[in-house]
């Protein structure tokens, strides 16, 4: 069974878009009017246990997610495609680039997890598990990742998007995936063109200094851009700017 997905655009260039841990593909709904749909065909995919794939059971492993996305690209008749990943799905995107190097044309990594995974000791894993299962913990994590700048109605909106559009087993499974994965040795020197977008108000592990130490030390064709006035969720916080940066980067890759 294919992953649930939404298609947007009629352009010749396919783009597969993946979501983060606490939200499904509807995170990107606000971008739809601003994406270059004449140049690209966007496929917004829902991983198993999320959104249009909520009914699909799975192991929620890295390999499973990669094979699901590649199968979706096959069904779209997309032998080559661009990839967009947000947070944990940027980790998946990096692995797909390694598994299918002739297929992935470029990668946009939004507030991304690096190929070494999210650093988490036992205490941090326990805190993250609480985020997956307890609403107050999730609301606090969302607030921290947006610089404590947004009021309760927006925090509740983001929390509800997580709880209503994903299953608890999927959230716990993917938590184990992104905290227990490390394939950075495979990626050293990997040439895929990459744009890393980081939020001005995100937590330190997702800010530019940390990302330059990880992505910058590994990938020779990476560039970094800050998304001002946003934290970990620029597709929700600054959708016009994010769509514009995606359009510009993809246009550059097409031209080259």
């Amino acid at each position: 069974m294919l992953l649930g997905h939404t298609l947007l655009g009629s352009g010749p260039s396919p783009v597969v878009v993946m979501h983060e841990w606490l939200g499904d593909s509807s995170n990107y709904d606000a971008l739809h009017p601003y994406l270059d749909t004449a140049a690209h065909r966007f496929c917004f995919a829902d991983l198993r246990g999320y959104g249009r794939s909520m009914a699909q059971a799975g192991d929620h492993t890295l390999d499973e997610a990669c094979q699901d996305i590649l199968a979706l690209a096959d069904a779209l008749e997309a032998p080559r495609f661009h990839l967009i990943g947000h947070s944990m799905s940027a980790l998946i995107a990096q692995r797909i680039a390694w598994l299918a190097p002739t297929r992935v044309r470029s990668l946009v990594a939004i507030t991304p997890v690096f190929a070494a995974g999210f650093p988490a000791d036992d205490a941090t894993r326990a805190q993250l598990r609480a985020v997956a299962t307890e609403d107050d913990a999730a609301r606090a994590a969302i607030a921290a990742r947006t610089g404590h700048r947004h009021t309760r109605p927006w925090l509740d909106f983001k929390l509800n998007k997580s709880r209503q559009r994903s299953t608890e087993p999927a959230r716990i499974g993917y938590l184990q995936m992104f905290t227990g994965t490390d394939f950075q040795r495979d990626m050293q020197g990997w040439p895929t063109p990459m744009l890393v977008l980081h939020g001005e108000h995100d937590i330190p592990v997702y800010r530019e200094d940390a990302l330059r130490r990880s992505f910058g030390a590994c990938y020779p064709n990476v560039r970094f851009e800050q998304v001002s006035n946003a934290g970990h969720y620029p597709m929700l916080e600054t959708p016009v700017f994010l769509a514009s940066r995606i359009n510009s980067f993809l246009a550059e890759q097409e031209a080259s």
Side-chain angles (χ1 to χ4, degrees), residues 88-173:
M88 76 164 186
S89 70
L91 174 74
I92 298 169
Q94 291 164 75
R95 190 62 173 176
I96 293 171
W98 183 79
L99 289 169
T102 63
R103 299 190 67 179
V104 177
R105 300 182 63 182
S106 72
L107 197 164
V108 178
I110 305 166
T111 61
V113 175
F114 179 52
F118 186 91
D121 55 20
D122 289 344
T124 302
R125 281 195 175 91
Q127 291 173 350
L128 289 170
R129 186 179 177 89
V131 172
T133 59
E134 300 173 17
D135 287 356
D136 286 344
R139 193 181 290 108
I142 294 165
R145 283 158 177 76
T146 50
H148 299 280
R149 296 156 46 252
H150 303 319
T151 57
R152 179 65 179 256
W154 188 88
L155 297 175
D156 286 343
F157 161 78
K158 182 67 184 77
L159 173 65
N160 290 336
K161 190 173 280 287
S162 168
R163 297 310 193 236
Q164 295 170 7
R165 304 287 295 176
S166 66
T167 66
E168 187 172 299
R171 295 193 297 271
I172 293 173

Side-chain angles (χ1 to χ4, degrees), residues 195-254:
L195 172 64
V196 172
L197 295 163
H198 48 90
E200 178 184 10
H201 300 287
D202 210 337
I203 59 175
V205 70
Y206 294 115
R207 291 184 191 162
E208 183 173 3
D209 287 349
L211 295 174
R212 284 189 179 276
R213 288 194 297 270
S214 55
F215 283 81
C218 189
Y219 300 116
N221 294 323
V222 63
R223 73 175 70 167
F224 300 87
E225 293 187 23
Q226 178 171 283
V227 183
S228 299
N229 203 34
H232 197 65
Y233 311 101
M235 61 289 299
L236 296 170
E237 299 174 87
T238 55
V240 178
F241 179 84
L242 180 62
S244 297
R245 295 311 306 130
I246 290 171
N247 290 339
S248 296
F249 178 74
L250 294 179
E252 289 179 23
Q253 302 313 306
E254 294 293 326

Side-chain angles (χ1 to χ4, degrees), residues 43-65:
C43 175
F44 298 88
D46 285 309
L47 299 174
R48 297 187 191 211
Y50 286 81
R52 289 173 173 81
S53 304
M54 280 184 70
Q56 293 192 33
D59 298 323
H60 308 112
T61 63
L62 179 63
D63 286 344
E64 178 185 77

